[in-house]
């Protein structure tokens, strides 16, 4: 009988499991950073087991001190990962066994890696989100103090990237601070939403020894338990929400980065980045490139990619735990790292950047006061729709003469409407235009100061 042809991939097998599959399956290389959450979760679990007499108090104490030693080894960089340590959960349990002996085998009673990993991730993200929140608040306070210091600087405000109306530079800065404040509030709400306990759900069907889940929740600082075991082991909405949050926050960072890239060009020259946040060209000696800002803009794509990638992995998973869920960690870690770095770099750029108020002011032109000219007539009782038209005609008159809007005389303007009088000359002041916008939320000094106060109060309350 002819020998069966060897499988093309057969040579790779040396034992029962393809070593490539081992590596493919393992998550230890990335989930080891949850070692702290894993140890803390296990310590609480050991206490809950003893509370229900599933293990004795002596056994609990052995487990707790063993887990504390495992944690210490990680903290001191002494933990040695060995072959077979598939993930952080198996690695820690293996090491616990080496340290405390067979009692380690009691720790996992009624627990599954399914409820364990879901708990670890929530604990890890809760901590990490607090760090990110602190960076975000630091960034907001950098912007607020800059806005306060540079309150008198005026610049063109843009729509469609066309000069529109004069504004305060501080008003521009604060527009970004408000976006970040909303991001901070969203993150706080998100933390509160996901701060609920999956542990005590078993693999999927629930805990067999009636463990006290409310005790576990209290021990681990969760505000409540998750009320359905199937849901508890498979819910990763908190990862999806965090990734969306991170993407949106990066969009905000990317947008101010784009503004500042434009403002730092030779054509604008409104701002100049500190050397610490720029780099040169290897070929052109004169170049100073805003690499920090370009990276921030670029990294927004990376974080969005993490979100969309995870959503694709998440969407088709049948009920409860499936290994696809292991794909939740790298995007979460990467987004968290990218956010931490990006927020700190943005704060660094914004606190060290130079501005050129004369250049900003020189970029203002009288046509930017065309709306003010219309408003002048409104004050004289002319309906706004008409005044808009009249002011447009004045702009055209000035353009036809190749002159500036402010060079039109009262006589010129009177040909357009009889209500123009000598006091129209007062319209040609950028400062007045700005100060006229003193409704809350406007660009007048009083409105900008009020914004600064509001943000300062919020920062002091939440810090
Ligand atoms: N490393 C796994 C993960 O990250 C832990 C859960 C494993 N559960 C299982 N049933 N294989 O998702």
């Amino acid at each position: 009988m002819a020998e069966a042809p060897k499988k093309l991939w057969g040579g790779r097998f040396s034992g029962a499991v393809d070593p490539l599959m081992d590596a493919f399956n393992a998550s230890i290389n990335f989930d080891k950073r949850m070692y702290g959450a894993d140890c803390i979760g296990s310590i609480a679990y050991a206490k809950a087991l003893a509370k229900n007499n599933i293990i004795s108090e002596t056994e609990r104490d052995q487990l707790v001190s063993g887990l504390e030693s495992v944690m210490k080894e990680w903290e001191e960089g002494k933990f040695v990962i060995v072959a077979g340590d598939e993930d952080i959960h198996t690695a820690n349990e293996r090491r616990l066994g080496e340290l405390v002996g067979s009692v380690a085998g009691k720790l996992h009673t009624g627990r599954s890696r399914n409820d364990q990993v879901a708990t670890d991730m929530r604990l890890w993200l809760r901590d990490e989100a607090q760090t990110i929140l602190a960076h975000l608040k630091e960034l907001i306070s950098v912007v607020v103090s800059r806005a306060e210091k540079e309150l008198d600087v005026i610049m063109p405000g843009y729509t469609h990237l066309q000069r529109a109306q004069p504004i305060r530079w501080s008003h521009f800065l604060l527009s970004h601070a408000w976006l970040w404040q909303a991001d901070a509030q969203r993150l706080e709400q998100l933390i509160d939403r996901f701060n609920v306990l999956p542990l005590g759900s078993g693999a999927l069907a629930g805990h067999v020894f009636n463990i006290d889940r409310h005790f576990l929740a209290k021990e681990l600082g969760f505000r409540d338990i998750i009320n359905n075991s199937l849901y508890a082991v498979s819910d990763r909405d908190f990862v999806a929400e965090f990734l969306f949050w991170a993407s949106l926050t990066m969009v905000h960072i990317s947008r101010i980065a784009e503004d500042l890239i434009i403002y730092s060009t030779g054509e604008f020259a409104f701002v100049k980045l500190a050397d610490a946040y720029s780099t040169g060209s290897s070929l052109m000696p004169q170049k100073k490139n805003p690499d920090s800002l370009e990276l921030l803009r670029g990294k927004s794509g990376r974080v969005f990619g993490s979100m969309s990638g995870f959503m694709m992995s998440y969407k088709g998973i049948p009920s409860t735990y499936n290994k696809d869920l292991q794909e939740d960690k790298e995007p979460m870690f990467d987004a968290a790292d990218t956010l931490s770095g990006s927020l700190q770099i943005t704060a660094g750029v914004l606190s060290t950047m130079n501005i050129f108020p004369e250049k900003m002011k020189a970029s203002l032109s009288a046509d930017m006061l065309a709306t003010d000219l219309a408003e002048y007539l409104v004050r004289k009782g002319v309906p706004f729709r008409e005044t808009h038209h009249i002011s447009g005609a004045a702009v055209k008159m000035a353009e036809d003469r190749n002159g500036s809007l402010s060079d039109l005389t009262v006589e010129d303007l009177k040909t357009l409407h009889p209500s123009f009088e000598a006091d129209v000359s007062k319209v040609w002041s950028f400062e007045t235009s700005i100060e006229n916008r003193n409704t809350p939320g406007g660009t007048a000094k009083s409105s900008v100061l009020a914004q600064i106060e509001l943000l300062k109060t919020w920062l002091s309350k939440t810090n």
Side-chain angles (χ1 to χ4, degrees), residues 23 53 86 202 205 238 251 267-268 306 332 364 405 408 438:
N53 300 318
E86 185 186 316
F238 67 99
V251 164
E267 287 75 4
F268 274 80
S306 290
M332 178 178 80
L364 296 165
L405 186 59
L408 296 179
N438 59 0

Side-chain angles (χ1 to χ4, degrees), residues 169-213:
W169 159 248
S170 301
H171 197 48
F172 159 79
L173 284 177
L174 292 172
S175 68
H176 293 280
W178 286 111
L179 286 172
W180 288 322
Q181 189 220 26
D183 290 332
Q185 290 171 335
R186 261 190 292 270
L187 186 57
E188 279 164 350
Q189 291 158 0
L190 204 158
I191 295 168
D192 188 59
R193 248 197 312 283
F194 75 69
N195 192 25
V196 282
L197 175 89
L199 199 59
S201 297
L204 74 160
H207 203 276
V208 68
F209 294 115
N210 193 29
I211 203 151
D212 186 345
R213 297 190 63 213

